[in-house]
Amino acid sequence: MDILYDCWLAYGKDGSMKWTEKYLRKLCILCSGRVIGSAAKELETAYRRLAGKDPERISEPFSGGCFILRINEGLCAGGYRISVSDDSIVVEGGDENGVLYGVFRFLVLASGGYSPESLNITEKPFFSLRMIDQWDNADGSVERGYSGASIFYEKDRPVSDMKRLTDYARLLSSVGINAICINNVNVHKTETYFITEKFLPDIAKIADAFSDYGIKLYLSVNFAAPMEIDGLPTADPLDEGVINWWKCRAENIYIHIPDFGGFLVKADSENRPGPYSYGRDHAEGANMLAAALKPFGGNVIWRCFVYNCHVDWRDRHTDRAMAAYSNFKPLDGKFADNVYLQIKNGPMDFQIREAVSPLFGAMSDTNCLCEFQITQEYTGQQIDLCYLVPMWKECLDFDTYHSGKGSLVSRNVLGAAGVSNVGSDLCWTGDPLAGANLYGYGRLVFDPGLSAEQIAEEWVRAAVTADNEAAGTICRMLLSSREIYESYTSPLGVGWMVTPHYHYGVDVDGYEYSPWGTYHYSDRNGMGADRTKATGTGYTAQYASHNEEMYEDLSTCPEELLLFFHHLPYTYMLKSGKTLIQHIYDSHFEGSEKAEELLLQWRSLKEKLPAEIYSEAENRFEKQLLNSRQWRDVINTYFFRKSGIDDIHGRKIFR
Ligand code: GCU
């Protein structure tokens, strides 16, 4: 047992599961199948950890304490019920996955020290598709990975030892994940060949390992693959040769992987090939691939992160935030029924604070998914603490008003995809505390009704400590972490003041004159992107009228997004009674003080925490403090120099 490696599956880590031994010693498995086999194996693992021996298999319930697994057709797919009594613990699932989820749920909560009574739970998944996207490359690197190397590939080949991947499948299925795309959306040369004989036998082994845990495998594909692999003269989605090429590929994939999930596609984005090269639209591109997969039950997941990354900063009217809506809204209703559009939570790119994408709710005749970034590209890179569940929840709970009040994003989408934060580090996530985001993503998309607090508490108790006081402190740290990170980085939703390409650390003008379309427009008088219809780019008009009016009007625009929607003078008075510039100074001084408090709070827990977790995270809190000071000083100095306005509290600003 290793507390770092086991994450939230560290059964028996602090004696809190002792009471379950009475049940786990006798397993009565009244259903069968490969996923049920994994559920049974998990119970065996737990018992072995607790009692040091194997449980007994029995064929009929035993009244002196046993653990029963069975299918209950009255429950829905993926749903489960856990019933705890003196005699037995029964986990029933609507299907095999439901049984597995119920088993994990029981074990995770029991090992977090939750009481037996509180474990009588009935749950069902809110979304049918709960997906993880790996941004792993064949050479073993991970795009935007902060946790070591890829666990999927080494030296241009898929790994052959399935141990680590099986443990990953355990972690993912324990929070209800049922699909995984195993390669980067940017499909480079080697990965283009993943859909050929050269790789399929090895990829099939990975698919098999994940199938044992009820997780379907997807591959990211290169839209130009027919040209690159077989030298076809075109990749035009309406060309007969191209259509047949993909059909043959699909047929062959299903020979190797009978339960293959389908393709994930990044097309016409950031220099990737796509249908635009042939004068075709995204529906034509996606539907051609969808037709190839359809006979086998496969899906196409098509990303809406499509924008022009070669814009001219001199042109104040172009607005990258408008791109996804402009590209996809006109195509609503044109996509095949096995196409899902994957929409990033915000219209830009995973900033610490941005508006919710206006595309949600606007595509009423199209299957849509939400895309979240678990890996902390712009949110601290698994150095700075940033618990992201509150941000994702904000998106799922956002009322689009597209079909009147109550049109929440969660009701407009059929599922979610989260960009993974794992790698080969012992603790999987670089910072062991970043495990809360992986756990939290799975839990939230299983049940968007859960609170960020409940999810944090479950995770802390299972993965770190069931000690009430220490767990309480860590939960408070997690729950304040996003605001802390935000307060010393981007003011009021403006975003993008990060070091270009690398995206960690401050560089206020790093993207200001670049072709990426990411501007804050600071001058001597003020700052912010004017996205109003009245005087700006007109982006607000992409929302349903209730939201359009809310954002358009300064008095109703949420303050945390003020500079995302408006260009304002530094002397603009906020509701707090502070000027905009004073808010910038205050939030940056306070943010950095709070980063220091995080470090001190963590240090106060030293005696109560597993040493390995303590030191891995302490090291990061120290770096976070330095990072926050650098942000504070650079931002405050920059805006003092632009505005010439002093901090009313006379704190240290470098002139
Ligand atoms: C961001 C990220 C890229 C990634 C892209 C995407 O821009 O920096 O690394 O490829 O998002 O989501 O496609």
Side-chain angles (χ1 to χ4, degrees), residues 135 143-144 185-186 266 270 303 305 344 349 377-378 503:
W135 282 2
E143 182 152 333
R144 310 306 177 185
V185 286
N186 295 314
K266 172 173 179 177
E270 299 185 330
R303 298 179 81 228
F305 184 62
K344 284 193 182 184
D349 192 8
E377 176 179 0
Y378 293 97
H503 301 165

Side-chain angles (χ1 to χ4, degrees), residues 48-59:
R48 242 180 265 126
R49 294 232 179 128
L50 297 173
K53 56 184 177 202
D54 288 333
E56 188 190 331
R57 288 281 185 114
I58 55 175
S59 52

